[in-house]
Amino acid sequence: MADQVSDKAFVFGEDALAIDALVAISTRKLLTRLSDDKDALGRITRSAEHVRNMLDRDGKIYGVTTGYGDSVVQAVPASLVDELPLHLTRFHGCGMGRFLTPEETRAVLTVRLVTLALGWSGVSLELVERLADMLRLDILPLIPAEGSVGASGDLTPLSYIAGALVGERQVLHKGAEKSAADAFAEEGIAPIRLKPKEALALMNGTSVMSALTAIAMQQARRLSDAATRMTSMTCLAILGNPRHFDIRLFNAKPHQGQMQVAAQIREDLAPFAASHEASRMQDRYSVRCAPHVIGVLQDALPGLEAVLTTEINSANDNPLFDPETGDVLHGGHFYGGHACYVADTLKVQVANLADLMDRQLATLVDTRYSNGLPSNLSGATGERAAINHGFKAVQIAVSAWTAEACKLTMPASVFSRSTECHNQDKVSMGTIASRDALRVNTLVAQITAAHLMANAQAIEIRLRSGELTEDVVGDAIMSQIRAVREHSAFLEEDRPLDTELRSLTDAILTGSITLV
């Protein structure tokens, strides 16, 4: 069931943006509005005034009266200054690859609005208002995912927002692709004319990589919960040893995240542990050491969230204008190293969940290790068992998805390339890392979906045989099996499972299925 839309709005210019709030905005479960506070609006207005005053006084501002990047040495004639911002949006219109999803695009718009509303970027209140209108009215620029090196920020993907604001790019609006100008006209608003510095302020920042990484982080939390529940179910399915999760063991090595994972498994297995005497003293590592694998991600998440939250709530374009003094500050806040670090770390730890669940599933389908379960978890019996193959192909597919997830764990940050005439001679590659993290999450969600179906199958086989009872399985695991059955029925005769896997994968990524 979808969450209710919150009756409390996030206020740009006043509120700090947390990861949970950003994800809620991206899925339209949290409304937004621009502050009407005089001080908040005053910061934005003063920042734009500082640009105008400096232009009138000095007549020289980077990206306003000069070319961009290495072209800083190229002076722009006064008669062409007003045209320069539009050229920046146009020549960066070279993005390729898939378009960001509506959820991803809303997240990007939100993060950029937070940055511009801080009042350090030299943009007009009109621009901030129109950007807030786009988010409120769900006018979503079609943003290609590929083409950013992560410094100077996400120039190419963010150009599609800047281009939409002036009415030149395509958007998704009311379920249809159309020109931004047409979408604005339908809503009774008009495109804007970009003032000096405004295209640069919109495009020169870390909003795409930060937004995508925030979504990846929320998904990673769900996948951590999923891997924990899968461990509980696998232990039950193989009639394993629940004593591996004894609280005394984890008090002896008290990593907080590891202890939380073990506590959840211990709670899941409490009815089983009370009545079961394991036949093996020690289960294989993929079960016994699961808290030690999942716990690393759990322990990393708070620190990663703190880093990403700081990035999201920062002024990260160049140059910045002190909203109080008007001083122009040239720096490199567009560099996406922190967002890249978060995304690179996430994808490594989430891929470790893939490897863990792949090994658990391999145990379930193999009669040498499953402690009496039928080969490949086939639900067919009698002579029909000879032609049914259960989860054989699913296990092969899980191995493929695991290999791909692990392949993507190479840190993107080490692939910096000198570009733009050696002006951008050290870049973050943060946007590539964020896309990698999302892809790893999708693969691991597919693995989780397969593992959920296999675990439900294995436990039901034990229930049908009388080796387990619902009381011994416990309410939590029985409830989990019923949730799986809303997407996929018990597998008795072979059938294609792709549609069921897709449905369950989507439920895992969106959080519409509970996994704790």
Side-chain angles (χ1 to χ4, degrees):
M1 182 180 294
D3 293 342
Q4 297 293 317
V5 176
S6 172
D7 57 2
K8 181 181 179 183
F10 176 85
V11 183
F12 293 106
E14 294 182 22
D15 297 340
L17 184 61
I19 302 299
D20 288 348
L22 175 57
V23 174
I25 293 168
S26 77
T27 53
R28 308 206 79 189
K29 293 170 186 171
L30 178 61
L31 302 176
T32 62
R33 67 176 177 84
L34 183 61
S35 174
D36 55 10
D37 178 75
K38 290 182 179 179
D39 289 339
L41 298 182
R43 285 196 305 271
I44 300 170
T45 302
R46 286 195 305 276
S47 187
E49 289 174 352
H50 293 323
V51 176
R52 288 195 298 272
N53 291 339
M54 181 171 290
L55 188 59
D56 291 341
R57 184 177 67 249
D58 300 331
K60 190 172 182 180
I61 304 174
Y62 166 72
V64 175
T65 61
T66 74
Y68 300 111
D70 180 67
S71 301
V72 65
V73 296
Q74 178 68 52
V76 175
S79 60
L80 299 178
V81 165
D82 288 343
E83 290 187 46
L84 184 61
L86 192 58
H87 277 259
L88 183 64
T89 72
R90 287 174 174 170
F91 80 77
H92 270 288
C94 58
M96 295 294 286
R98 70 172 180 90
F99 290 117
L100 301 189
T101 66
E103 293 78 13
E104 292 166 347
T105 304
R106 293 185 198 108
V108 172
L109 289 171
T110 300
V111 175
R112 202 74 207 133
L113 264 164
V114 167
T115 290
L116 298 180
L118 292 173
W120 284 84
S121 300
V123 301
S124 65
L125 182 58
E126 177 194 19
L127 182 148
V128 176
E129 289 173 336
R130 186 60 74 247
L131 203 54
D133 287 339
M134 290 178 69
L135 185 60
R136 176 176 56 85
L137 298 169
D138 215 32
I139 300 173
L140 305 177
L142 295 178
I143 303 175
E146 299 171 11
S148 173
V149 295
S152 298
D154 290 310
L155 289 167
T156 288
L158 287 175
S159 77
Y160 289 79
I161 296 176
L165 280 166
V166 301
E168 290 197 351
R169 298 290 174 89
Q170 293 296 106
V171 299
L172 181 66
H173 177 238
K174 296 181 178 178
E177 292 185 16
K178 61 190 74 169
S179 73
D182 287 344
F184 287 164
E186 287 181 37
E187 296 291 354
I189 57 178
I192 67 170
R193 180 180 176 86
L194 292 171
K195 298 177 179 63
K197 175 61 170 66
E198 290 192 333
L200 189 60
L202 280 162
M203 295 164 52
N204 187 208
T206 62
S207 298
V208 174
M209 68 184 85
S210 296
L212 298 187
T213 302
I215 292 171
M217 178 173 289
Q218 193 79 343
Q219 292 174 347
R221 291 187 184 280
R222 296 188 189 115
L223 294 169
S224 176
D225 291 340
T228 302
R229 178 52 55 81
M230 292 306 91
T231 301
S232 302
M233 294 179 77
T234 300
C235 186
L236 263 171
I238 64 171
L239 304 178
N241 188 348
R243 294 182 180 177
H244 295 321
F245 312 105
D246 191 302
I247 190 172
R248 293 168 294 182
L249 276 169
F250 293 90
N251 285 339
K253 188 178 181 181
H255 291 295
Q256 189 63 36
Q258 180 177 284
M259 293 176 76
Q260 291 170 354
V261 172
Q264 182 61 57
I265 297 170
R266 196 162 53 247
E267 182 179 338
D268 285 346
L269 296 179
F272 179 60
S275 60
H276 176 69
E277 191 62 43
S279 59
R280 283 178 61 97
M281 183 180 295
Q282 295 189 156
D283 290 327
R284 288 170 177 80
Y285 285 16
S286 61
V287 173
R288 185 176 11 138
C289 299
H292 309 75
V293 177
I294 306 166
V296 177
L297 174 58
Q298 284 289 89
D299 279 315
L301 281 170
L304 296 177
E305 182 169 356
V307 170
L308 189 60
T309 300
T310 297
E311 185 70 32
I312 284 170
N313 289 282
S314 70
N316 48 65
D317 55 296
N318 174 63
L320 297 179
F321 295 85
D322 186 321
E324 300 305 321
T325 67
D327 292 341
V328 61
L329 306 169
H330 293 91
H333 285 358
F334 48 70
Y335 192 87
H338 285 85
C340 188
Y341 156 71
V342 174
D344 273 345
T345 303
L346 279 175
K347 69 188 188 186
V348 169
Q349 296 310 322
V350 173
N352 266 292
L353 304 184
D355 198 28
L356 181 78
M357 289 188 281
D358 173 54
R359 295 299 83 211
Q360 290 179 354
L361 179 56
T363 298
L364 291 177
V365 299
D366 194 325
T367 56
R368 292 173 296 176
Y369 312 118
S370 67
N371 202 11
L373 288 168
S375 179
N376 295 303
L377 301 178
S378 174
T381 57
E383 66 178 8
R384 299 200 62 77
I387 62 168
N388 279 279
H389 295 80
F391 282 78
K392 180 186 283 288
V394 171
Q395 193 271 324
I396 296 170
V398 166
S399 288
W401 301 331
T402 300
E404 184 175 347
C406 292
K407 179 178 71 69
L408 290 171
T409 59
M410 178 70 75
S413 65
V414 300
F415 286 93
S416 174
R417 311 290 299 162
S418 182
T419 186
E420 203 255 309
C421 300
H422 296 291
N423 176 54
Q424 299 178 22
D425 59 348
K426 173 60 178 168
V427 295
S428 75
M429 297 301 182
T431 318
I432 294 174
S434 68
R435 291 193 290 107
D436 283 350
L438 288 170
R439 176 58 181 160
V440 168
N441 285 352
T442 297
L443 291 163
V444 178
Q446 292 170 190
I447 293 162
T448 304
H451 200 12
L452 262 172
M453 289 163 58
N455 265 315
Q457 178 89 357
I459 293 170
E460 283 200 45
I461 288 170
R462 299 285 193 194
L463 289 167
R464 292 183 179 199
S465 70
E467 294 171 285
L468 291 173
T469 65
E470 290 192 11
D471 287 343
V472 169
V473 172
D475 292 341
I477 303 300
M478 288 306 305
S479 177
Q480 190 72 76
I481 292 171
R482 287 190 291 272
V484 174
R485 292 294 170 242
E486 293 179 13
H487 300 266
S488 177
F490 183 84
L491 183 61
E492 194 147 357
E493 290 283 321
D494 290 342
R495 65 175 187 268
L497 295 174
D498 50 352
T499 301
E500 296 162 43
L501 284 164
R502 289 181 190 278
S503 174
L504 200 47
T505 296
D506 183 66
I508 291 162
L509 286 173
T510 61
S512 62
I513 185 171
T514 301
L515 291 160
V516 290

